[in-house]
Amino acid sequence: MNKLQLRIFLVLALSLCFSQAYGQQEAGVSILKGPTPIPGGDALDGGDITLQNGRFAVSFAAASRPPWGVARGGILDLAIIDDGRYSSDLASLIDFMPDNWSSWPTTYQEVRVLEEGPDRGVVQVRRDWHDVALETTFTLERGQSTMRIHTEMTNTGQEAFEDILSGYVLWADGGYLYNRPGNADLQAGSAHELLTGWTASYDRDWALVFHAPFAGHTGYGGQDQYQRHTLPPGGTIDFDGWLQVIPRGELSPALDFEVRRRNTGRGTLSGQVRTRGDQLVEDPIIMVNKEGYPYVWAAGKQGRYEFTLPGGEYEIYAMAENYAQSPARDVHISPGESLSLDFNDLEEPGTLAFDITGGPGGEKTDARLEITEGQTSPVRYMGSKTFFTDLEPAGQASFAIAPGDYVFNIGSGQGFTSGPVEAEVTVGPGQTSRLEIALAPAFRPNESGWYSADLHHHSDILDGSTPVRQVLQSQLAAGLDFAFLSDHDSGENLALMDSLASLRDIPFIASMEISPSWGHFNVFPLDAGGTPEVDPSSATAGEIFDAARRAGARVISVNHPYIPYGYFHNLDNGSATGGFDPGFNLVEMNYGRTDARDLERMYAFWDEGLGIYLTAGSDTHDVWEGTTGGMRMYVHIPGEPTVEGFVSRIKSGHAYATSGPLIEPGHLFGSQIRFTPGQQLRLPFRLMSVNKLHSARLISSGGEVLQSVDLQQAGTLTDVIFTVRPQDNSWYSITVEDQAGEYAYSNPIWAVPAEYQEITPNPK
């Protein structure tokens, strides 16, 4: 080989090594036009745009329809790129919201390429909102794992927009949420006291971080980051954010980005992680707490770790999946310091097995198993605090768990038909511990023909994070008699849910939550394989209702009516496309969101003699953190509990909504009592609560409380009789509270003078 050949060989070899080591950093920026190349992506129109470098790609909804009825222009898809290969889609929506998910009304949306690589790509989205002009610019550079997003918001009208919440939303497709460090429990509210200006979604192999230093308000557990402000006529305000994509399930790079952006001093922490038996832990996690809060974590490999921290005081410990974590250590790190910290005391996983029975016959029963004392992890892929018994065989569960002492809360229909059972157990490293638990239900409503369902529940579509199998496990453990599924604008998982429900011989109600930005509607039951063909971003309520009925739906529910994207809220402020349409049947009492205005609206409907009735649902997206069946509907079905029977009876009002108390009425809700004016009517009710009863109120026309009864001495079961003397067309509803602060709300019992015609449900 001559010198020239040798030189060429060395150049090629070095180039190859450099490409292998730094290929992702050095790949140029490119822009693709047409359907997204991202597997599982939703930007599938020929007019869509994908912006990418060698590290990640994002696809814009230039022409495709975004979820939740928002305006076009946002990011629908995101993938990590590894050696030229795309991961599956990791994002549902990344976008700018002018006022807390209110992107309508809008008359135009334009997505255009301003600059195209190889060193930099720039995409701009222009659209309007009322009289506000919005320009959002996305800038991606070669070799960067972050993309800058800048929005300019200008009021071109004559009126101020007062007290609005503007900013960015990041909704991942699956994974887990890590709220802004400093208050992991803050769902919505002021973010000024939190420790960082970013929030994240993550899983074992990825993390998506949105840095929004302007955000003084957070919503939906940190997925939405806003600034509360007033935009005067002619006024302009700017928003700067950064989307960061991390190809591992760790958040230390997010903190490092913040430190570099602020030019703050930082030190380096490194070391190794071993078990008590001196074995290297293959995939350790180093957790950092600050001021008592989970702050950030770093993922190690082959027993070693290294990451940077800004100077300060921290509490640090090591953990690994299902290992007993190390004791926490107090650490001070100074800017520029390199500190070595080894952990040598992790304990290997154990196994815990449950066998759950219920009832006098010792039959197996489904249950939810929740750790109330013992080790849990803030990194959720490292181990759960909530478990469910298996679908097959029923009543059994077995799982790996960190060794240690635990207290479990075990429940089946907990808070409704039974109270919890508490169990203590010690799990040893490498050992299997077994628990046999007997649960005894206090009440059996279905023996009297009352059957329950959670009529608002999600799986792993869009913002949901629960696989279908775990949805059914959770619904069975909640003691529900019907399975139900209602994902946003998708019927993708209905066939699987139906198949799994048939394994346990539980009736399944197929639904969908049609989700324009001004109102969400559950429609059911849908025909097998049928989904409503409608564009929620442009359709009126009437067009949505008609499409639902063409797909087989006989019931339409108005979900969470008074939240920012609730139908009644947007009817009141004039933002509901097409205005009011009376073609719905039910109005939801939503768990944790029931508003006094919900009931006031129902009372007004009943005052008009309208057969529009209650429904109830938990709106659970994550069964491990949420509460399946926390709000549920009990429907009276004579004979076998079938889907047809459930649908017809709830549509006729023979039902009540509850987050705890149970009711058996002497006169069926939704039924009519004929009377002669001045005649005394007796309204008997049997009331029950495993949490003990507190009070009951009889409510009539205009929402007036006719009578109230103190039940604090009644225990868990009592009979109450109200007497009334109606003079004219009337209705009577009962509200029951228990000592845990949970409520039951009934549909009306109609009192109709003998000469009047019958009240009929909404004919649609």
Side-chain angles (χ1 to χ4, degrees), residues 322 350-356 369 387-390 392-393 395-401 431-435 473:
N322 296 319
T351 301
L352 185 54
F354 285 87
D355 192 278
I356 313 292
L369 320 164
F387 307 86
F388 300 96
T389 50
D390 300 329
E392 295 181 307
Q396 296 183 19
S398 179
F399 45 84
I401 192 170
Q431 299 178 357
T432 297
S433 299
R434 301 183 181 277
L435 284 175
Q473 286 177 277

Side-chain angles (χ1 to χ4, degrees), residues 147-150 168 210-214 239-243:
M147 179 171 65
R148 185 187 177 198
I149 306 177
H150 174 81
Y168 299 101
F210 204 99
H211 300 264
F214 63 84
F239 298 85
D240 264 316
W242 289 266
L243 171 66

